Amino acid sequence: GAVVSQHPSRVICKSGTSVKIECRSLDFQATTMFWYRQFPKQSLMLMATSNEGSKATYEQGVEKDKFLINHASLTLSTLTVTSAHPEDSSFYICSARGRGGNYGYTFGSGTRLTVV
Amino acid sequence: SQQGEEDPQALSIQEGENATMNCSYKTSINNLQWYRQNSGRGLVHLILIRSNEREKHSGRLRVTLDTSKKSSSLLITASRAADTASYFCAILTGGGNKLTFGTGTQLKVEL
């Protein structure tokens, strides 16, 4: 079945630094990737949608200059949290969708970001 | 908000009992999906029910869909401790490309 690998699973960084999270589709071409943010005991909130080779589309209220998304290939998307602050601490999850079909969203295992 | 509302928010049952979770949504849909999330992990797709279906089964899972009431339910029969997780319903929004999640139900199955 489709597999999405997300790294790192956990990261701790200092305030002001940047952190990059990778999301790779291992056995299929991901034409679209999605990045979600999840606070403890809450639902997943979509941050942005990225299509290979084009700029990401951000949801309302998400700062595109703070959360940089790159989808340079059909198997890799990255989310970079720039100038991280403690309030950016959260669980970030990517999801990838291949060609065709109206379902078939495969999720990464998530990244726990803690900014100290 | 197009986000689905789920109830209950939390559910604690004994092993062997059935667990029922409900989801309500606001828009018209082509299908509705249910996902499971173990604590601190990604999501696993459980089952999809199309808008022209009223009920669907998969193993110990039974999903119903009532499009007139814009609601769906997920029933887990003969629950096990390993079923302890959060369960989310999700619908496609944004022209059928974005997956929007409900608020989730935290299920705890005790031995």
Side-chain angles (χ1 to χ4, degrees):
Chain A
V3 177
V4 170
S5 175
Q6 185 174 343
H7 291 281
S9 57
R10 289 178 180 271
V11 58
I12 300 173
C13 70
K14 293 184 178 180
S15 288
T17 62
S18 295
V19 174
K20 180 183 284 188
I21 302 170
E22 289 191 352
C23 182
R24 293 180 184 271
S25 58
L26 298 186
D27 49 4
F28 68 101
Q29 292 183 331
T31 52
T32 308
M33 285 193 175
F34 306 86
W35 287 94
Y36 292 85
R37 181 174 183 175
Q38 185 181 32
F39 290 105
K41 298 189 185 299
Q42 294 191 24
S43 187
L44 284 76
M45 299 304 295
L46 180 65
M47 299 174 65
T49 302
S50 72
N51 293 297
E52 185 263 340
S54 61
K55 290 184 178 181
T57 302
Y58 290 81
E59 295 298 302
Q60 192 172 9
V62 178
E63 299 176 61
K64 62 180 180 181
D65 293 331
K66 181 166 187 63
F67 298 100
L68 300 180
I69 291 171
N70 184 279
H71 191 168
S73 77
L74 284 171
T75 59
L76 174 65
S77 178
T78 60
L79 166 67
T80 301
V81 183
T82 62
S83 187
H85 290 142
E87 56 263 33
D88 298 326
S89 298
S90 191
F91 192 60
Y92 294 87
I93 306 176
C94 69
S95 174
R97 181 182 181 187
R99 299 182 189 277
N102 63 353
Y103 68 108
Y105 293 77
T106 304
F107 286 81
S109 54
T111 297
R112 172 74 60 195
L113 170 63
T114 303
V115 184
V116 297
Chain B
S1 169
Q2 294 173 325
Q3 186 181 46
E5 299 290 328
E6 291 184 60
D7 75 274
Q9 286 188 323
L11 179 62
S12 182
I13 59 174
Q14 298 294 313
E15 199 170 47
E17 295 180 337
N18 296 340
T20 299
M21 291 157 265
N22 303 294
C23 167
S24 61
Y25 56 92
K26 297 180 180 179
T27 64
S28 59
I29 60 171
N30 290 324
N31 62 66
L32 184 143
Q33 304 175 41
W34 285 90
Y35 287 81
R36 165 190 170 132
Q37 182 184 34
N38 284 11
S39 180
R41 303 299 299 273
L43 275 73
V44 174
H45 180 263
L46 293 177
I47 195 166
L48 177 148
I49 185 165
R50 301 185 192 282
S51 59
N52 61 353
E53 296 177 311
R54 291 295 169 262
E55 187 172 310
K56 198 164 184 179
H57 297 253
S58 177
R60 293 185 295 113
L61 305 180
R62 173 181 163 238
V63 168
T64 63
L65 178 64
D66 187 334
T67 53
S68 66
K69 295 181 180 178
K70 289 186 166 56
S71 67
S72 175
S73 67
L74 171 66
L75 168 68
I76 303 175
T77 60
S79 64
R80 306 166 182 168
D83 294 328
T84 295
S86 292
Y87 293 83
F88 296 92
C89 65
I91 60 174
L92 289 173
T93 59
N97 191 44
K98 305 180 200 178
L99 204 54
T100 300
F101 289 87
T103 50
T105 295
Q106 294 179 50
L107 172 66
K108 183 176 182 181
V109 181
E110 301 185 74
L111 294 170

